[in-house]
Amino acid sequence: YISVETYRLQLLAVAVSAGVTATFGAPVGGVLFSIEVTATFFFVSSLWKGFYTAIACMVVFRLARLLPLVELFQVEDLPALTITLETFAFIILAILCGVLSGIIVFFVGVLNSITKRFPIPVRYAWAAGVAVIDAGVAYASPLLWQLDKGLLGDMLNVSHHEAASDVINKAGDLAIVFVAKICLMILSMSCWVPAGLFLPVFTIGAVSGRLYGLLVHELLA
């Protein structure tokens, strides 16, 4: 027995896969993106359907080129592929991010397996303790004094990056923020209360990218 909701989620997954494939010409990326978008209720049985839809979309896209009724854009002038030291730096960054993600998921699972055994009053006390720790850690660095939205904006603001004396260009402060944000996110996810996740993840990514960029710049300088 398959419910209507199951069919709806499967159609959503294949629709996202087809849309990304048709827009960017990336069938594998379309399937992976469909998994990411519908990850909360993603069904493994939808995987092959997403691949089939992406392949069908590419076939239709190629056939449409043969018809004079449809005008499709064509990319002819592509830059030459060059491999530099920065390429290897990005590869190392991807490996480090994958390892770090696995570590975060592991500790979140361990903490959740422990806190789910707590009775309800203890869970409230645990959440209050995490809030106190969060408030105390905020004084470890000036970057932690602001909300994630402001911190993310500072990391992405190019004008700040040119000021060598700016706090966002100090590796020590960035390292403190990086470690603090990861630890606080893990603790917050173990509180069994609604908590934001996407913005802290984006902030951690921006801070780690800025910190990694500073380190690579010093090594390659």
Side-chain angles (χ1 to χ4, degrees):
Y1 173 74
I2 301 179
S3 63
V4 177
E5 181 68 13
T6 302
Y7 281 121
R8 189 186 72 83
L9 293 173
Q10 290 181 349
L11 288 175
L12 176 62
V14 297
V16 171
S17 176
V20 175
T21 302
T23 304
F24 300 101
V28 177
V31 175
L32 295 178
F33 186 73
S34 68
I35 296 175
E36 180 181 357
V37 171
T38 61
T40 304
F41 302 98
F42 185 79
F43 296 96
V44 179
S45 59
S46 301
L47 185 60
W48 70 268
K49 298 175 183 177
F51 273 110
Y52 177 81
T53 305
I55 294 174
C57 184
M58 290 301 298
V59 171
V60 173
F61 194 86
R62 292 297 180 90
L63 292 177
R65 290 178 178 271
L66 304 177
L67 300 177
L69 301 178
V70 181
E71 294 184 2
L72 301 175
F73 65 91
Q74 295 183 0
V75 180
E76 298 178 353
D77 298 330
L78 295 177
L81 178 62
T82 57
I83 299 178
T84 62
L85 293 177
E86 292 184 356
T87 305
F88 294 100
F90 281 116
I91 295 175
I92 295 174
L93 177 61
I95 296 174
L96 293 177
C97 289
V99 173
L100 180 62
S101 300
I103 295 174
I104 292 175
V105 171
F106 172 77
F107 280 106
V108 168
V110 171
L111 271 181
N112 284 339
S113 64
I114 296 174
T115 55
K116 72 179 181 181
R117 303 190 185 98
F118 292 167
I120 299 300
V122 178
R123 290 187 182 183
Y124 283 116
W126 175 264
V130 171
V132 172
I133 294 174
D134 190 358
V137 172
Y139 291 93
S141 172
L143 291 175
L144 292 171
W145 297 350
Q146 54 185 327
L147 299 176
D148 286 341
K149 182 179 180 181
L151 180 59
L152 182 61
D154 287 342
M155 293 295 108
L156 300 179
N157 194 339
V158 180
S159 61
H160 290 325
H161 296 172
E162 299 175 355
S165 60
D166 201 289
V167 67
I168 68 170
N169 285 323
K170 296 180 180 179
D173 287 303
L174 291 175
I176 293 175
V177 174
F178 177 68
V179 175
K181 286 294 183 181
I182 291 178
C183 295
L184 292 176
M185 183 182 67
I186 294 175
L187 289 175
S188 299
M189 294 178 66
S190 66
C191 290
W192 295 90
V193 294
L197 178 62
F198 289 101
L199 194 55
V201 169
F202 291 150
T203 304
I204 292 173
V207 173
S208 62
R210 182 61 186 165
L211 177 60
Y212 187 78
L214 289 176
L215 297 177
V216 172
H217 177 73
E218 293 296 330
L219 292 176
L220 299 181

